[in-house]
């Protein structure tokens, strides 16, 4: 599904300052049906990895394989559902406009777009607000609208950048159960989050990034065992405080 | 190819809908309509040649409105998509960067065409009313073909500027630098024919200036001569229309220019990081 091999990325320099590499020699993989949680503090490189996968930015070195091709093959995004960290839409559009755009670009038929839009808008509690401009949505509603857009074309792979961001406890629980359902359906999911309890609950495998370097890749329980701690959260904190790669 | 067009038109539809619901653009349209209706009062102050002055006024208002639209809406389109991270929501779909540029261009161009269509219909009604109100000696001629040719000229100039804005939006980050560079481009395009003419008169006296004159002529390939598309003086004149071949060449050059600049814009946008 996803294969990162020795990827390096640095952002362009500002005048007279050298910018440190955002990613240094990162390798990891995601197999079909797996759920991978990417965790790390701010500036760890999580969003950079996701931007590389979505071809918003390109690596300086290394190779990325995505669903049997490279991310710069834009057609591959027909099989991906992407949820950005902050939901931003053109100011005057409605959820229906965005869903229709998504369906059209994914080459879906009008009837299929209508039924899928109804299904996801009802599931995410947005059906009543479907004709309201998205700018009038609360942050949580925008996040749910983004979920509906990401899931419209029944993607095989979901890339979720902070899916619980801006959600109230009820909304968060709902999204967690939705991710659980999608996992049970056999979808491959890559997501990053700051909420370690959510990661522990959902993922098969965790990738710990710190200042652009990979510190750990494996099941959450293995991290706790490796760090000789009782829980995954304690194991993560211990690993980051050490701040050194395990390999 | 059909799938590509479908994706481009899906984005163009989104841009069009967003534009149609923007209060600022509705305000601009109302202002333009008010200014065109103002021509009915304006002609009363003109002692002679009312037809020419009124048609000049109507077309100048249209050009000004198109100019404001381009430099306050068109310039922002791509830069704001990046600043507000809307671009991530759009390019998360199977849409290539080139298709994004073409979709954005098509959507803004559709808004521009709609704006010009409304203003041209209103303009023709205003001019016919003025013609009806004044004595024939003040407004003897009204060429319908010249009128529509003038509108085509305005739309062609606006589309050229829009293609240039698309290219600069890909090259530079932020809407203010794009605005400045695009305005400079327009200023050079407007100033170049004047400089060329002034130099042409001097070149007859001083042979040394011929090289500079040739260079200025070549600069027209990058900075198009908008005078070639300005037909508004012909609306109320009895002079015949220019040769069809000349009109076709001018509009053909416009299409080539727009095509070339859009191709470059796609090429540039394809290569850049969306940080």
């Amino acid at each position: 599904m996803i294969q990162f091999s020795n990827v390096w990325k640095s952002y362009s320099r500002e005048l007279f300052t050298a910018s440190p590499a955002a990613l240094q020699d990162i390798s990891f993989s995601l197999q079909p049906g797996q759920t991978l949680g990417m965790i790390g503090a701010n500036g760890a490189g999580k969003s950079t990895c996701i931007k590389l996968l979505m071809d918003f930015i390109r690596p300086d070195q290394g190779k990325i394989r995505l669903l049997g091709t490279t991310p710069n093959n834009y057609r591959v995004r027909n099989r991906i559902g992407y949820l950005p960290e902050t939901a931003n839409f053109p100011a005057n559009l409605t959820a229906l406009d965005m869903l229709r755009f998504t369906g059209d670009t994914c080459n879906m038929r009008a009837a299929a777009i209508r039924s899928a839009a109804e299904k996801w808008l009802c599931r995410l509690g947005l059906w009543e607000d479907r004709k309201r401009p998205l700018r009038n949505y609360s942050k949580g509603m925008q996040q749910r609208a983004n979920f509906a857009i990401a899931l419209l074309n029944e993607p095989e792979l979901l890339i979720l950048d902070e899916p619980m961001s801006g959600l109230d406890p009820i909304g968060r629980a709902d999204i967690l159960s939705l991710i659980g359902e999608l996992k049970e359906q056999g979808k491959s999911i890559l997501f990053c989050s700051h909420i370690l309890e959510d990661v522990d609950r959902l993922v098969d495998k965790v990738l710990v990034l710190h200042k652009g370097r990979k510190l750990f890749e494996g099941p959450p329980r293995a991290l706790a065992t490796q760090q000789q701690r009782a829980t995954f959260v304690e194991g993560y904190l211990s690993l980051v405080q050490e701040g050194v790669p395990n390999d | 190819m059909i799938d590509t067009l479908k994706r481009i038109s899906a984005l163009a539809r989104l841009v069009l809908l967003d534009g149609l619901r923007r209060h600022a653009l509705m305000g601009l349209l109302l202002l333009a309509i008010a200014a065109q209706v103002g021509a009915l009062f304006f002609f009363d102050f003109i002692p002679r040649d009312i037809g020419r002055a009124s048609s000049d006024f109507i077309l100048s208002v249209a050009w000004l409105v198109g100019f404001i639209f381009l430099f306050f809406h068109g310039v922002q389109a791509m830069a704001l998509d990046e600043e507000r991270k809307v671009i991530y929501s759009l390019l998360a779909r199977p849409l290539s960067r080139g298709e994004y540029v073409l979709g954005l261009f098509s959507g803004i161009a559709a808004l521009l065409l709609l704006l010009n269509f409304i203003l041209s219909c209103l303009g023709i009604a205003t001019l016919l009313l003025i013609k009806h109100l004044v004595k024939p000696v003040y407004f003897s001629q009204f060429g319908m073909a010249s009128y529509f040719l003038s509108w085509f000229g305005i739309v062609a100039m606006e589309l050229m500027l829009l293609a240039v804005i698309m290219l600069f939006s890909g090259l530079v980050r932020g809407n203010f630098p794009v605005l400045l560079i695009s305005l400079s481009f327009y200023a050079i395009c407007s100033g170049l024919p004047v400089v060329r003419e002034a130099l042409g008169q001097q070149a007859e006296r001083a042979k040394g200036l011929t090289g500079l004159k040739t260079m200025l002529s070549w600069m027209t390939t990058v900075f198009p001569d908008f005078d070639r598309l300005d037909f508004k003086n012909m609306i109320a004149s009895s002079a015949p229309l220019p040769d069809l071949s000349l009109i076709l060449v001018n509009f053909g050059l416009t299409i080539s220019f727009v095509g070339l600049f859009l191709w470059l814009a796609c090429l540039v946008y394809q290569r850049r990081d969306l940080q």
Side-chain angles (χ1 to χ4, degrees):
Chain A
M1 281 274 161
I2 295 174
Q3 180 75 52
F4 257 60
S5 310
N6 310 103
V7 173
W8 290 73
K9 175 69 189 171
S10 57
Y11 291 106
S12 53
R13 290 173 179 199
E14 290 176 13
L15 277 180
F16 311 117
T17 56
S19 74
L23 291 182
Q24 299 174 50
D25 200 24
I26 296 292
S27 301
F28 68 88
S29 65
L30 173 73
Q31 302 307 319
Q34 252 187 357
T35 301
L36 171 69
M38 217 187 273
I39 54 172
N42 291 334
K46 306 183 298 288
S47 291
T48 301
C49 284
I50 288 182
K51 283 179 187 168
L52 285 165
L53 280 172
M54 297 306 295
D55 193 41
F56 298 147
I57 54 176
R58 277 83 191 239
D60 299 334
Q61 277 179 56
K63 281 185 183 165
I64 302 171
R65 300 287 297 169
L66 177 67
L67 295 164
T69 179
T70 51
N72 65 3
N73 175 5
Y74 65 88
R75 286 185 182 87
V76 78
R77 295 199 285 272
N78 205 359
R79 298 159 63 194
I80 299 173
Y82 168 65
L83 184 93
E85 184 181 356
T86 43
N88 285 301
F89 304 102
N92 302 295
L93 299 179
T94 64
L96 279 182
D97 294 328
M98 284 305 291
L99 286 164
R100 185 173 165 186
F101 165 74
T102 301
D104 284 342
T105 50
C106 291
N107 216 6
M108 289 168 72
R109 289 178 181 277
I113 297 173
R114 268 197 300 276
S115 65
E118 189 177 342
K119 173 185 154 189
W120 286 113
L121 288 175
C122 290
R123 169 68 182 81
L124 292 157
L126 291 171
W127 181 249
E128 299 296 319
D129 301 293
R130 65 193 184 280
K131 288 181 181 168
R132 266 176 65 195
L134 286 157
R135 64 164 185 267
N136 295 339
Y137 279 21
S138 67
K139 202 176 174 212
M141 285 168 84
Q142 288 197 356
Q143 191 75 338
R144 280 184 280 145
N146 236 334
F147 242 108
I149 293 163
L151 296 169
L152 186 87
N153 56 324
E154 298 289 339
E156 307 164 36
L157 171 66
L158 283 163
I159 297 177
L160 313 173
D161 197 353
E162 302 283 355
M164 264 65 84
S165 154
L167 295 173
D168 56 32
I170 297 169
R172 194 178 135 219
D174 194 28
I175 292 299
L176 275 174
S177 87
L178 178 62
I179 296 175
E181 277 171 39
L182 294 165
K183 186 174 149 74
E184 276 170 27
Q185 287 169 21
K187 305 238 188 254
S188 308
I189 303 171
L190 181 147
F191 79 97
C192 63
S193 178
H194 287 296
I195 308 168
L196 300 177
E197 290 79 9
D198 294 345
V199 175
D200 192 20
R201 231 161 88 186
L202 287 170
V203 303
D204 303 311
K205 200 164 89 164
V206 70
L207 176 74
V208 181
L209 296 175
H210 187 65
K211 293 183 179 171
R213 298 163 78 188
K214 183 173 94 173
L215 296 189
F216 178 83
E217 184 186 0
R221 182 106 324 256
L223 176 60
T225 314
Q226 182 200 289
Q227 294 296 310
Q228 296 172 337
R229 303 286 159 152
T231 64
F232 156 68
V233 177
E234 286 173 15
Y236 165 75
L237 292 172
S238 155
L239 180 69
V240 170
Q241 273 157 16
E242 277 176 24
V244 288
N246 64 339
D247 46 0
Chain B
M1 186 65 185
I2 292 169
D3 285 349
T4 304
L5 288 176
K6 202 176 161 187
R7 287 191 294 269
I8 291 171
S9 61
L11 180 59
R13 181 183 169 275
L14 217 59
V15 175
L16 181 67
L17 281 177
D18 189 42
L20 288 175
R21 292 173 193 162
R22 271 191 78 167
H23 294 161
L25 292 188
M26 286 180 206
L28 181 64
L29 179 65
L30 288 176
L31 187 76
I33 290 172
Q36 288 222 343
V37 172
L40 289 171
F41 303 98
F42 166 77
F43 86 89
D44 222 20
F45 295 100
I46 298 168
R48 64 188 117 115
D49 225 351
I50 291 174
R52 188 176 165 170
S54 306
S55 54
D56 226 36
F57 181 81
I58 297 259
L59 271 288
S60 299
V61 165
W63 171 240
L64 180 69
V65 169
F67 195 78
I68 293 173
F69 174 87
L70 282 173
F71 285 95
F72 289 91
H73 181 71
V75 159
Q76 288 185 348
M78 202 181 271
L80 280 188
D81 271 4
E82 280 189 45
E83 275 171 30
R84 294 179 183 166
K85 299 187 172 23
V86 172
I87 191 132
Y88 295 154
S89 301
L90 301 177
L91 289 182
R93 303 289 98 222
L95 191 75
S96 74
R97 304 269 187 98
E99 286 165 0
Y100 167 75
V101 171
L102 295 176
L104 202 60
F105 175 85
S106 310
I108 299 172
L111 278 170
L112 205 53
L113 288 173
L114 188 66
L115 180 70
N116 278 299
F117 176 74
I118 295 169
L119 293 183
S120 72
C121 292
L122 191 72
I124 204 165
T126 310
L127 285 176
L128 288 173
L129 185 62
I130 293 172
K131 191 173 188 310
H132 177 72
L133 289 173
V134 299
K135 287 179 183 168
V137 69
Y138 296 119
F139 197 160
S140 54
Q141 297 285 330
F142 178 71
M144 198 67 88
S146 318
Y147 179 78
F148 285 110
L149 188 62
S150 306
W151 277 98
F152 278 129
I154 286 182
V155 172
M157 285 188 262
E158 288 170 348
L159 291 180
M160 281 160 103
L161 281 175
L162 182 58
V164 168
I165 288 170
M166 288 288 125
L167 175 62
F168 291 148
S169 298
L171 283 169
V172 190
R173 287 183 206 282
N175 56 11
F176 191 62
V178 176
L179 176 70
L180 286 183
I181 297 171
S182 307
L183 277 173
S184 309
F185 181 89
Y186 174 69
I188 295 172
C189 290
S190 309
L192 205 57
V194 181
V195 176
R196 232 178 31 230
E197 200 178 313
L199 204 73
Q201 287 164 4
Q202 283 186 25
E204 283 168 12
R205 292 193 293 267
K207 292 280 179 202
L209 293 173
T210 331
L212 188 58
K213 201 181 160 193
T214 315
M215 193 189 82
L216 287 174
S217 296
W218 274 101
M219 278 176 76
T220 338
T221 50
V222 181
F223 302 99
D225 183 355
F226 289 144
D227 284 350
R228 283 167 166 266
L229 298 163
D230 186 359
F231 302 103
K232 65 177 180 292
N233 288 338
M234 303 177 70
I235 297 172
S237 140
S238 55
L241 284 174
D243 255 10
L244 182 66
S245 56
L246 189 67
I247 294 173
L248 287 177
V249 165
N250 286 338
F251 283 104
L253 282 174
T254 304
I255 293 167
S256 316
F257 183 89
V258 170
L260 177 69
F261 269 66
L262 282 180
W263 176 71
L264 286 173
C266 294
L267 213 64
V268 166
Y269 212 67
Q270 196 70 40
R271 300 173 74 90
R272 75 183 265 187
D273 267 1
L274 304 171
Q275 290 175 19

